[in-house]
Amino acid sequence: MRKPDRDTYYIDIADSVARRSTCLRRSYGAVIVKNDRIVATGFNGAPRGVEDSLQAGWCRRIRVAKGVDGQRGGYLACRSSHAEMNAIISASMEEMTGATLYIAGREKEELVGFDEQGYPLKELEASWEELPFAHASPCQLCARMILNSGIERVVYRCKDGSLTSVDPREWTVNTDILFFG
């Protein structure tokens, strides 16, 4: 058995943090590391004091997408904050400047399915390890927050399990991720 390289080690920790997610559709975890020390973690879930999807038992984003609530859809309909956001607000600027952000996710929606009201059609029967990986690249808003945080490197897991490493400063040249996702 070989010792995992740093990126694999920290992405596996991000995957473990994702287990705390309160989203019914996907679970994401984020870990900010500086000088080989974890400075903050975050998972996707409702803000403090707000009922999360696990407590409610239904997904607001799916309900809105199906036209049930008649409100604006997409990220605006979701009650959760993203894992990256939660990690960033838990760290100081000093801790984030020059740090690496690791993001990992797992897919649940395909295994559960949802009805028109956003309720899961069945219980999730797979173990954590059996859940497929979710593409964990940052969304537009998280990409902007990452740039402002001073984080110098982002490593995320792709659906196929491979890792992608990005220098967020590249997003200032190719602004597609900042404005088009």
Side-chain angles (χ1 to χ4, degrees):
M1 189 165 157
R2 287 185 30 197
K3 177 179 172 182
D5 63 68
R6 278 193 175 96
D7 286 346
T8 301
Y9 174 69
Y10 288 119
I11 207 77
D12 286 347
I13 293 173
D15 186 66
S16 185
V17 171
R19 290 174 179 248
R20 298 273 302 144
S21 168
T22 59
C23 178
L24 295 170
R25 298 172 66 227
R26 291 182 193 94
S27 295
Y28 288 99
V31 176
I32 299 173
V33 178
K34 184 172 181 180
N35 298 326
D36 212 18
R37 184 177 72 81
I38 295 173
V39 297
T41 65
F43 57 87
N44 58 319
R48 290 178 181 93
V50 175
E51 183 180 55
D52 62 51
S53 296
L54 285 179
Q55 293 168 326
W58 56 275
C59 176
R60 187 171 187 277
R61 187 171 175 182
I62 288 176
R63 183 177 287 193
V64 170
K66 304 273 187 180
V68 175
D69 287 343
Q71 299 173 9
R72 293 177 69 185
Y75 290 131
L76 297 175
C78 184
R79 67 178 101 220
S80 290
S81 297
H82 291 184
E84 306 95 312
M85 293 176 185
N86 286 325
I88 288 170
I89 64 170
S90 296
S92 70
M93 189 69 174
E94 180 181 305
E95 290 172 314
M96 290 186 290
T97 302
T100 299
L101 172 65
Y102 294 88
I103 313 163
R106 298 280 180 151
E107 190 72 56
K108 296 184 266 186
E109 184 173 4
E110 298 164 4
L111 302 176
V112 175
F114 290 87
D115 68 14
E116 295 285 321
Q117 298 294 317
Y119 289 96
L121 294 172
K122 63 181 184 175
E123 289 287 321
L124 183 62
E125 296 173 0
S127 70
W128 183 259
E129 292 75 19
E130 293 172 320
L131 293 176
F133 294 127
H135 192 69
S137 65
C139 73
Q140 299 161 315
L141 182 57
C142 289
R144 294 175 194 158
M145 290 179 71
I146 291 165
L147 276 171
N148 279 344
S149 73
I151 289 170
E152 287 187 0
R153 185 170 172 250
V154 176
V155 178
Y156 61 89
R157 185 179 282 147
C158 301
K159 277 187 166 221
D160 65 4
S162 65
L163 302 184
T164 298
S165 177
V166 178
D167 179 343
R169 292 170 291 202
E170 293 176 17
W171 301 333
T172 63
V173 177
N174 178 3
T175 58
D176 285 355
I177 189 170
L178 298 176
F179 302 109
F180 305 110

